[in-house]
Amino acid sequence: MITLTPKEQPEVPIEIDTITPDSLAGKSLDEIKNMPILHGNGQVPLAEFFEVEGDAGATAAETKILIDGDVSQTKRIGQGMTAGEITVKGSVNNYVGAEMEGGLITVEGNAKGWAGQNMRGGELEILGNAGDYVGSAYRGDWRGMSGGKITVHGDVKNEIAEYMNGGKMVIKGDVAIMPGIHMNNGVLIIEGNVIARTGGEMAGGTIVVKGIIDEFLAGFEYLGVEKDIEVEGEVIPGAFYKFRGDYAIKGAKGTVYAAVAGNAHIAP
């Protein structure tokens, strides 16, 4: 295992997308210390901002990285990784797990925006809160998360699962506005409450809200109440209002389940 112990985090964030199990596998400790990372508009060696110890595995799948402390000024942790494991014992900045294809990332603190952006595979677990655009497409793109699993144990902000095309996302806390906007496929499960615009302009996929939806969109058709729903092989106990839409999109076939408890105000 390679252990990266953060030195003082800089005011201008650093970006470490070059430091993944894929890129570290098979390298010596000295080679890893001198690998370039981005700070501002220039490159610096990894050892300038981290104490580096341990041994990398022979392959990406055999390589584990422990970031032993808070790195809230560090972006792009685990970006594009295909295998192996990264554990962060603190909070992180933007783009953790962006374009990830495999392996496991665990963040024991909070994450800022764009966690799991355009994720294709693997698993990203955030034990704290996360910011906007979890699992979403990047600006100007229409292809969001297409595979893998994201779990956030705390609350998240706006426009999560935007343009989601596959995979599974579980939010155990509350969500602000527009979860699943432009969603095409995949599963989004929200265990807490949502402020508004759940599934706005979604064309497909499934959203389950176990908490309360303050405001619900008018473009959904009410299909009745179902109990103990099954979503991609998982049985979710309880009674749920079922909706189809968002008919703001021609031919839309998205499904939203909203818990009966607390949501009588959105049922016809």
Side-chain angles (χ1 to χ4, degrees):
M1 181 171 68
I2 290 291
T3 299
L4 305 179
T5 303
K7 299 177 181 177
E8 183 178 358
Q9 286 280 283
E11 183 175 350
V12 176
I14 55 178
E15 301 187 16
I16 64 168
D17 53 308
T18 53
I19 308 300
T20 65
D22 302 77
S23 64
L24 267 57
K27 286 188 169 58
S28 69
L29 188 58
D30 283 340
E31 287 176 318
I32 293 171
K33 288 179 178 178
N34 287 300
M35 289 180 69
I37 61 173
L38 190 64
H39 181 220
N41 61 359
Q43 291 186 334
V44 298
L46 176 64
E48 183 162 326
F49 287 104
F50 294 90
E51 300 286 348
V52 185
E53 300 175 298
D55 298 296
T59 67
E62 297 170 326
T63 299
K64 295 182 180 180
I65 301 172
L66 171 64
I67 301 179
D68 194 11
D70 187 274
V71 283
S72 53
Q73 287 293 88
T74 300
K75 297 180 177 181
R76 303 186 187 280
I77 293 170
Q79 179 167 328
M81 65 184 279
T82 66
E85 188 174 335
I86 298 176
T87 299
V88 183
K89 290 192 168 296
S91 296
V92 302
N93 206 289
N94 294 326
Y95 307 109
V96 61
E99 301 175 359
M100 181 180 179
E101 297 183 12
L104 170 65
I105 299 175
T106 304
V107 177
E108 296 188 357
N110 302 319
K112 291 190 175 178
W114 305 104
Q117 172 225 325
N118 293 78
M119 183 175 175
R120 304 183 185 98
E123 185 169 357
L124 170 61
E125 184 171 24
I126 298 167
L127 303 188
N129 302 319
D132 299 315
Y133 308 113
V134 176
S136 295
Y138 198 59
R139 298 289 190 204
D141 199 349
W142 65 96
R143 298 158 295 188
M145 176 181 177
S146 58
K149 182 180 180 182
I150 298 175
T151 303
V152 180
H153 290 256
D155 301 332
V156 299
K157 294 185 178 178
N158 307 297
E159 297 187 50
I160 65 167
E162 179 193 33
Y163 286 110
M164 186 175 184
N165 279 318
K168 184 175 184 179
M169 185 184 302
V170 179
I171 308 298
K172 294 184 176 292
D174 297 335
V175 178
I177 63 171
M178 294 191 280
I181 184 172
H182 302 300
M183 185 174 175
N184 294 307
N185 208 337
V187 175
L188 169 60
I189 297 175
I190 299 169
E191 297 188 1
N193 303 321
V194 179
I195 295 175
R197 303 179 200 171
T198 302
E201 298 189 359
M202 69 185 295
T206 301
I207 300 175
V208 180
V209 180
K210 298 182 181 180
I212 296 170
I213 301 173
D214 287 348
E215 297 179 16
F216 195 57
L217 291 167
F220 284 84
E221 177 187 8
Y222 176 64
L223 300 179
V225 174
E226 293 188 4
K227 293 184 178 179
D228 301 332
I229 58 175
E230 182 174 347
V231 179
E232 291 200 352
E234 177 187 356
V235 176
I236 302 175
F240 292 86
Y241 298 121
K242 184 177 182 180
F243 298 89
R244 176 68 50 83
D246 180 1
Y247 292 146
I249 298 295
K250 186 177 181 180
K253 297 180 180 178
T255 301
V256 174
Y257 291 102
V260 169
N263 284 311
H265 60 290
I266 68 171

